């Protein structure tokens, strides 16, 4: 599957953005899709994930209560709604696809090119 993330940009602290990720084909019933991010000089870190069929979700503590992951099954689209953005949320955001309900990047087989999110203070 090919993934393409979009929706990044420059936003002021406290603002909101919605990232989108388009999948080239319908995800399998076992698919888990996730968002990761990587800031300059830092390792890639988990942000959020969702099980495609059930809609079960999980979040990193750093974004819990501010970010919401969702999907549109008929459109094969994954979203990340980001509210109350902070400068420390600045990073390249990646969407990924796998089959394990896990938060480690090694559990994801397919990755899209990232989209830059910059939050100014």
């Amino acid at each position: 599957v090919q993934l393409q993330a979009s929706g990044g940009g420059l936003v002021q602290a406290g603002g909101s953005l919605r990232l989108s990720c388009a999948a080239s084909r319908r995800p399998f019933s076992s698919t888990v899709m996730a968002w990761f991010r990587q800031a300059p000089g830092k390792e890639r870190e988990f942000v959020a994930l969702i099980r495609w069929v059930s809609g079960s979700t999980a979040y990193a503590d750093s974004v819990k209560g501010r970010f919401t992951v969702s999907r549109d099954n008929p459109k094969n689209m994954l979203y990340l709604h980001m509210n109350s953005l902070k400068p420390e949320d600045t990073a390249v955001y990646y969407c990924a696809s796998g089959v394990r309900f896990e938060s480690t990047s090694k559990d994801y087989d397919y990755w899209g090119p990232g989209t830059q999110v910059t939050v100014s203070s």
Side-chain angles (χ1 to χ4, degrees), residues 64-78:
K64 204 171 291 183
R66 300 188 298 122
F67 291 11
T68 302
V69 60
S70 65
R71 85 280 191 231
D72 185 329
N73 296 47
K75 295 183 179 179
N76 300 337
M77 293 291 295
L78 174 73

Side-chain angles (χ1 to χ4, degrees), residues 13-81:
S16 299
L17 277 177
R18 187 187 76 164
L19 303 184
S20 301
C21 176
S24 60
R25 59 163 171 77
R26 181 179 179 178
F28 298 128
S29 59
S30 57
T31 295
V32 175
M33 296 194 73
W35 290 97
F36 288 79
R37 66 186 182 186
Q38 188 166 17
K42 295 187 177 182
E43 293 187 354
R44 189 170 298 187
E45 65 173 359
F46 166 74
V47 176
L49 64 81
I50 186 166
R51 191 177 292 280
W52 193 258
V53 172
S54 70
S56 299
T57 59
Y59 296 90
D61 288 344
S62 59
V63 306
K64 204 171 291 183
R66 300 188 298 122
F67 291 11
T68 302
V69 60
S70 65
R71 85 280 191 231
D72 185 329
N73 296 47
K75 295 183 179 179
N76 300 337
M77 293 291 295
L78 174 73
Y79 301 104
L80 184 67
H81 307 261

Side-chain angles (χ1 to χ4, degrees), residues 9-15 84-90 117-121:
L10 174 64
V11 63
Q12 289 188 332
S84 303
L85 282 161
K86 305 175 181 180
E88 52 263 44
D89 294 317
T90 295
V117 172
T118 303
V119 184
S120 63
S121 57

